[in-house]
Amino acid sequence: MRHVAVIGSGPAGYYSAEALQKEFGEDVRVDVIDRLPVPYGLIRFGVAPDHQSIKAVAKRYEKVALSGNVRFVGNVMVGRDISIPELLDLYDAVILATGAPNDRPLDIPGSDLPGVVGSAAFVGWYNGHPEFADLDPPLDCEAVAVVGNGNVALDVARILAKTPAEFVGSDIVAHAFEALGNAKIRTIHLLGRRGPHQIAMTPKELGELGHLEAAVPKVDLADFPDELDDVLLEPGMRKSVGHLRSFAAMSHDKPKIIDFDFFAAPVAIEGNGKVERVIVERTHLTKDLRSEGTGETYSIDCGLVVSCIGYKTPPIDGIPYEHGRGRFANDEGFIAPGLYCVGWARRGPTGTIGTNRPDGYEVAEKLAAELKGGSSDKPGRPGLDALLAARGVDIVTFRDWQKIEAAETARARLGSPREKFTAIEDMLNARGG
Ligand code: NAP
């Protein structure tokens, strides 16, 4: 028997647990540990609430979680309740699947003004993450600047643009549903520091912007390279750029505009005690397709700036870390004997949910090479339980989570699959007696 601890219950964590089951069969016990009382990480707190079909992958993780040799251990914070060296003493291997929940900072003057928020905070707010439930972003302004040209910037722009009716079927949390319904926003500026051929937006997500009830996307064809150059793009990107070009023909007869501002790098944020405007520098592309400032600046009035410029894995004391890439220093998932990382903690914040699957399988194979055959003298689960009980840690099991989930389903507003609890205390109380 082998004992493995997986830290983090998001996609990378559950794909690893699934892979370990396939690799070791009945000869492994996997504990999936999460700092929150609820599982699924990015699926619950990152994927947009109006993208329920993507969230449905949680059913696959549930199957893994309910199998005999995998256990969910929620409400346990590594670094507070237990350390990595302690886990390495208890288990044959520890896999870090901690994701990349921290914002990359928008490091420009004024970025600390009230009204400047990172996407982790903003997305966490509308998805009910306990850490960001009280964010209360200023939505009583006419214009918002969303910085970045990736899928997260698209998610944020779309959520800001939608009407209450367009949230039917979503699990956007009540506080965000209400606040967005009362918002005064008319213009959403999407600031990309490079051009239409350098966006990091996928076609399906970009196409959605063309079908919004009260908002229309707007582009300036003067920002685009010659249309013939589109054939040089890989097919997905060509499709995305095709959507962008089609936006140019749309009439702006709806109350809100999503304005694509290309070759626009924010260089400062100004305002008297809060955000009032973003100073943007015009850019052009260098030969190697990087953005370079031209020295020409202009200003965009806005009351909220959401910076969607990527994420970082939180470092853990004693674990080697690559600051530039915001991830653990690793060699294809290997950190040290018995210590591995997967998903965004391994690769940095790129790729779709499914991209995490091969990571888990690769690490399971490596672990099999390291561990298969012999048997363990590690305490595993009983050891963890004894240590956490001695420290008074209130563990949440998968059965407990199912009770929390049932309570969230029961209190959902009409047309919504669930109304998430946003306070840890409420999640714990929902387990019942
Ligand atoms: P991303 O795809 O890496 O995009 C980050 C964007 O921020 C890029 O446009 C980048 O521009 C820009 N940027 C970075 N630093 C900047 C700065 N200092 N000033 C201005 N702009 C800056 O990251 P993401 O949008 O956070 O998404 C993370 C991952 O999750 C991606 O793989 C994404 O596809 C995935 N995701 C998928 C979905 C979906 O499938 N529905 C939804 C959300 C997220 P440059 O290109 O010039 O660096």
Side-chain angles (χ1 to χ4, degrees), residues 147-152 155 193-194 200 205 308-309 311 344 349-351:
V147 183
N149 265 183
N151 278 328
V152 171
D155 279 348
R193 62 180 172 181
R194 297 191 290 160
E205 284 66 28
C308 310
I309 61 169
Y311 298 115
W344 283 7
T350 58

Side-chain angles (χ1 to χ4, degrees), residues 6-41:
V6 175
I7 317 302
S9 68
Y14 270 115
Y15 284 128
S16 299
E18 180 187 279
L20 288 164
Q21 273 185 328
K22 294 225 163 104
E23 193 63 55
F24 288 84
E26 276 309 306
D27 293 333
V28 72
R29 293 287 175 271
V30 184
D31 279 353
V32 179
I33 298 172
D34 203 291
R35 65 185 166 130
L36 290 174
V38 294
Y40 307 141

